[in-house]
Amino acid sequence: MLSDTEKELIVQIWDKMLPVAEEIGSEALLRMLTTFPKTKTYFAHLDISPRSEHLRCHGKKIVQALAEGARNISTLTTTLAPLSRFHAYQLRIHPTNFKLFNHCILVTLACHIGENFTPVAHAAIDKFLSAFSAVLAEKFR
Amino acid sequence: MVQWTAEERAAIQAVFAKLDYKSVGLESLTRLLVVYPWTRRYFGGFGNLFNSEAIMANPKVAAHGTVVLQGLEMALKNMDDIKNTYASLSELHSEKLQVDPGNFQLFGDCLTVVIATRMRTEFTPDIQAAWQKFLAVAVSALRKQYN
């Protein structure tokens, strides 16, 4: 349940992250792969060393998808339908991993934004990421 | 028994050295109560927890934030035996306070975010990994006496 203020905050934050999508996305991924080594099992086909081309490219895609979701919060299910099918039928990620990645996104945002990443902004983004992951996992069964 | 590398010990000590218990404790507890509002059920006697500003200004929240960080310091000082160090704390949380242990993880996450806003790029992925391993051990020890 997102208030109008929260929706605005979410759009503002992701709009600021879009120009540095590669940096933010690859950092969030690297944090997840370092802090939760079991997540590496999903990336056997990529070079996931720090600052690798694969990590930067993959990270950029993720941030762009998040920014798109932020601009279409009321139609997340429709907007994310192709991604949702992809995660369900091809990637088949164990659902607990969404929370781990979401946490690393929050930490990355906190490192970049600093104290302006207020408790209210933190709450809004956490709620947004939960809703986003729920849609991505919708078709799992 | 948990094994710590020299790098992990150094990383965790480095994070702690930068922590102002009062300020970090207050902000972490505030984030817990704002981001995960159901946690307010445990703080009925704390007065005004209505919104972020009220919580940050609440002296009981500030005092309690310090208490929690001092509790984590106990784990830091006994890193090779956190389980036994936390035995009575675990009993307190399960028998007397009756806190759902799922919330320990959430507090740890909020604390990590606060540290990230303060340390910024110094909170590298490697330091985060060591820090979160420490938190995971502390949370597991706190859960031990629940049955």
Side-chain angles (χ1 to χ4, degrees), chain B residues 64-80:
Chain B
H64 197 67
T66 309
V67 164
V68 176
L69 279 243
Q70 285 167 342
L72 270 175
E73 189 189 59
M74 269 168 50
L76 175 77
K77 293 191 165 141
N78 296 278
M79 268 174 75
D80 293 309

Side-chain angles (χ1 to χ4, degrees), chain A residues 1-115:
Chain A
M1 226 181 49
L2 286 165
S3 69
D4 288 337
T5 318
E6 285 174 321
K7 287 181 191 175
E8 268 172 46
L9 253 174
I10 292 163
V11 170
Q12 267 171 37
I13 289 175
W14 288 110
D15 275 350
K16 280 208 191 87
M17 297 300 123
L18 257 182
V20 283
E22 251 184 38
E23 202 187 315
I24 299 293
S26 61
E27 186 182 320
L29 277 170
L30 185 60
R31 286 182 182 280
M32 179 188 72
L33 297 162
T34 316
T35 307
F36 309 108
K38 63 168 188 156
T39 56
K40 290 194 278 192
T41 58
Y42 293 99
F43 294 90
H45 61 296
L46 292 183
D47 167 14
I48 50 172
S49 52
R51 289 175 299 280
S52 78
E53 188 50 46
H54 284 169
L55 214 56
R56 296 181 70 79
C57 176
H58 200 69
K60 184 176 179 181
K61 274 192 239 175
I62 293 174
V63 171
Q64 286 172 333
L66 284 164
E68 168 106 24
R71 276 182 256 113
N72 296 280
I73 286 184
S74 42
T75 55
L76 268 185
T77 308
T78 334
T79 310
L80 299 178
L83 267 180
S84 188
R85 275 192 296 276
F86 185 56
H87 280 75
Y89 304 128
Q90 264 147 282
L91 296 180
R92 291 173 293 184
I93 297 174
H94 192 296
T96 51
N97 294 300
F98 288 121
K99 272 199 195 147
L100 303 182
F101 186 53
N102 289 345
H103 172 68
C104 290
I105 294 174
L106 287 173
V107 172
T108 304
L109 290 177
C111 286
H112 281 261
I113 300 174
E115 47 180 45

Side-chain angles (χ1 to χ4, degrees), chain A residues 31 103 111-112 117 122, chain B residues 31 117 120 123 126 128 132:
Chain A
R31 286 182 182 280
H103 172 68
C111 286
H112 281 261
F117 190 57
H122 176 174
Chain B
R31 282 176 190 264
T117 62
R120 313 216 36 193
F123 194 55
D126 284 332
Q128 179 188 350
Q132 299 224 207

